[in-house]
Amino acid sequence: GQNIDQPTEMTATEGAIVQINCTYQTSGFNGLFWYQQHAGEAPTFLSYNVLDGLEEKGRFSSFLSRSKGYSYLLLKELQMKDSASYLCAVRDSNYQLIWGAGTKLIIKP
Amino acid sequence: GAVVSQHPSRVICKSGTSVKIECRSLDFQATTMFWYRQFPKQSLMLMATSNEGSKATYEQGVEKDKFLINHASLTLSTLTVTSAHPEDSSFYICSARGQADWGEQYFGPGTRLTVT
C-alpha cells in the first residue's frame, strides 16, 4: 500500500528553526510537495522537489532523498504566523497526489 | 500563480436538502479537477477526480449517487451533495490542474458545509 508518515504535532519557539520530516512509500514517484494549511483554510503551495537535494525559498527550504524515501521541510526564523499544519504529498506513478496526515506546528513566543 | 475560486464559501442547509458547490479556474484551463473533503483536525481526503467532459472517478467508499460531480467545461466543476445529512457537514475543497499530468494542483479556498 501507499503510505506517507509525518509527525502529528510539533512545537517550536518564535525565531528558532524547525524541521518537519516526511517519509513515504508509494507506487512510483513523480515529485513531492509541501503545503501549508491554516485552520479553516485551504492548503497553499510551499515547495516542490523532484530531484534529490535542497530547494531553498526564503525562510523555507525543502530537502529530498529519493533513495531513502525521505523529505524534510525546514522553517527558519519562525514567526507566529507560521503556526499551521504542514502537509507532505507525493505524486505517484499515476500522477495522483498521496497526502500525509499533516503536522500541526505550534509556535510559542 | 493560477487562481481557483469556490462558491459558496459557507453554506448551512437543512437535512434532506441538496447543496451545489462550484469550483472555477479563473485564469487557466483545468483539464482535471479534484474534490476533497476534510473533517476537523484530519487530513485531506480525496473524494473524486474529474476530467472535463468525462464521468468522475470516485474514491472507494464515496457514494457517487450522493456526491454528484459535473465537469462540463475547462473552467467549471460542480459538486452537488444530495439529500444532505448532518454527517456530511465538512470542509469541501476543490483543486484544479492544467493539461499536463505533472502540473501543479491549485486549490480553491474551500466551502464550509453545515447540515442542520
Side-chain angles (χ1 to χ4, degrees):
Chain A
Q2 309 206 86
N3 193 49
I4 296 183
D5 287 319
Q6 50 181 133
T8 304
E9 187 173 296
M10 299 182 71
T11 302
T13 305
E14 189 178 14
I17 299 173
V18 70
Q19 177 174 312
I20 303 174
N21 295 325
C22 170
T23 58
Y24 63 89
Q25 291 177 307
T26 56
S27 55
F29 178 85
N30 281 298
L32 184 145
F33 296 80
W34 284 96
Y35 286 84
Q36 179 190 61
Q37 186 178 25
H38 285 100
E41 299 180 12
T44 56
F45 171 78
L46 287 179
S47 69
Y48 170 66
N49 294 70
V50 66
L51 299 176
D52 290 350
L54 188 68
E55 293 283 341
E56 297 186 80
K57 189 184 292 186
R59 293 190 298 116
F60 293 2
S61 303
S62 57
F63 172 83
L64 173 68
S65 169
R66 288 171 295 170
S67 62
K68 295 181 180 178
Y70 167 71
S71 172
Y72 67 72
L73 179 70
L74 191 72
L75 294 78
K76 303 176 184 176
E77 301 170 15
L78 286 170
Q79 302 174 9
M80 297 303 292
K81 67 178 182 179
D82 297 330
S83 292
S85 287
Y86 291 85
L87 308 174
C88 173
V90 173
R91 192 155 55 192
D92 68 9
S93 56
N94 294 318
Y95 291 94
Q96 297 281 24
L97 277 182
I98 310 301
W99 293 88
T103 299
K104 182 178 180 181
L105 178 62
I106 300 168
I107 310 296
K108 295 185 175 180
Chain B
V3 179
V4 176
S5 69
Q6 265 183 260
H7 178 79
S9 57
R10 289 179 179 271
V11 57
I12 301 173
C13 70
K14 292 185 177 180
S15 186
T17 61
S18 295
V19 173
K20 180 185 283 188
I21 302 170
E22 291 187 351
C23 176
R24 293 181 184 272
S25 57
L26 299 184
D27 51 3
F28 70 103
Q29 293 184 327
T31 305
T32 305
M33 286 189 172
F34 305 86
W35 286 95
Y36 293 88
R37 180 168 54 183
Q38 187 175 35
F39 293 105
K41 298 184 180 181
Q42 294 187 23
S43 187
L44 296 171
M45 291 175 52
L46 180 65
M47 299 175 66
T49 302
S50 72
N51 290 296
E52 184 264 339
S54 303
K55 289 185 178 180
T57 301
Y58 289 81
E59 296 299 302
Q60 193 171 9
V62 178
E63 301 174 58
K64 62 180 181 180
D65 294 331
K66 180 172 179 64
F67 299 98
L68 303 179
I69 292 172
N70 184 286
H71 190 169
S73 78
L74 285 172
T75 59
L76 174 65
S77 176
T78 60
L79 167 67
T80 302
V81 183
T82 62
S83 187
H85 289 103
E87 56 265 32
D88 297 324
S89 298
S90 188
F91 191 44
Y92 291 86
I93 308 171
C94 75
S95 72
R97 188 178 70 195
Q99 293 184 340
D101 283 343
W102 57 87
E104 182 181 334
Q105 282 189 27
Y106 299 95
F107 284 86
T111 297
R112 176 75 59 191
L113 170 64
T114 304
V115 184
T116 60

